[in-house]
Amino acid sequence: MILAVTGGKGGVGKSTVALNLAAELDAVLVDGDLAMADLPVGSGPDLHDVLAGRAAPFEAVQRLGEVLVLPCGRSLAGARAADPRALGGVLGDLAATHGDVVVDCAAGLKADVGVPLAAADACVLVTLPGVPAVADGVRARELAVRFGAGVAAVALNRSDGVALEPVERALGGRAVALPESRALAAAVRDGRPARTVEAGTAAVEAVRELGRVVQSCKSA
């Protein structure tokens, strides 16, 4: 399964959710934001190189702790050389080789979000509590559905004690509340899933529940 993690705007914790969800699903994590990569980058080829034809997907996959990651470069020259149209084929190759793939999409509703959404079997919408953020999530959902990526789950990030039913009605998917957590907040910076730092906490259990919701959608 190819799972796109997307949201209506930046700053909602999309990359954090993607990293932790990839760990939960034992999936390959792909940094699909070709212009503003957020996931840690090691040495060796990256997604820019793959999309420019300079490396094969398997050559660019790196191990980041317990998660396999295909990182994206951060140079302007790399972004210019990359062909975004090839991303769908790369994701398909990874899914054929590794099984599940989680793609951290670019923020917002830019045109380059459509490529991973078109390749994805489903998506996870990441949003924050509050009417403006959920309204942005509605627009992201409309884009995802237009490209054929149905909503597998909604991650309501940085929330605790918030009513989920209105969010589920607005976004058309089962919502899971992810409470504030230092380990979740530091996940992308440190390249470590929260469960390796704060096992058994409410945030880690919420990520586990999000994984179960996605898995149930996969097996439906």
Side-chain angles (χ1 to χ4, degrees):
M1 177 178 70
I2 300 173
L3 184 72
V5 178
T6 188
K9 62 177 184 177
V12 297
K14 183 173 47 58
S15 297
T16 296
V17 171
L19 173 61
N20 283 278
L21 192 54
E24 197 62 37
L25 299 175
D26 194 22
V28 176
L29 176 60
V30 177
D31 191 338
D33 193 340
L34 303 184
M36 295 186 66
D38 201 21
L39 296 172
V41 178
S43 59
D46 54 40
L47 184 57
H48 282 164
D49 296 311
V50 174
L51 296 179
R54 295 191 292 260
F58 74 89
E59 294 177 303
V61 173
Q62 306 171 11
R63 179 162 292 281
L64 186 65
E66 62 179 65
V67 182
L68 290 176
V69 180
L70 175 47
C72 189
R74 290 176 166 83
S75 72
L76 182 59
R80 286 174 173 168
D83 181 0
R85 296 170 298 179
L87 180 57
V90 171
L91 297 177
D93 289 344
L94 290 174
T97 304
H98 296 280
D100 291 334
V101 177
V102 172
V103 191
D104 181 18
C105 295
L109 306 176
K110 297 179 291 186
D112 52 356
V113 180
V115 177
L117 287 176
D121 300 296
C123 73
V124 169
L125 290 173
V126 183
T127 188
L128 300 176
V131 173
V134 174
D136 284 333
V138 169
R139 289 188 283 271
R141 176 187 180 275
E142 291 171 349
L143 183 65
V145 171
R146 190 183 313 157
F147 281 100
V151 179
V154 176
L156 189 59
N157 204 16
R158 304 171 201 156
S159 62
D160 195 7
V162 176
L164 298 180
E165 291 82 359
V167 177
E168 292 175 334
R169 287 196 301 269
L171 298 181
R174 168 87 178 276
V176 177
L178 303 180
E180 288 276 8
S181 162
R182 286 177 297 177
L184 277 178
V188 172
R189 183 196 68 209
D190 298 339
R192 299 178 62 190
R195 71 184 189 187
T196 66
V197 181
E198 292 185 346
T201 62
V204 170
E205 290 304 314
V207 171
R208 187 161 293 147
E209 174 63 15
L210 184 64
R212 284 193 290 263
V213 172
V214 171
Q215 288 282 24
S216 66
C217 176
K218 176 183 175 181
S219 59

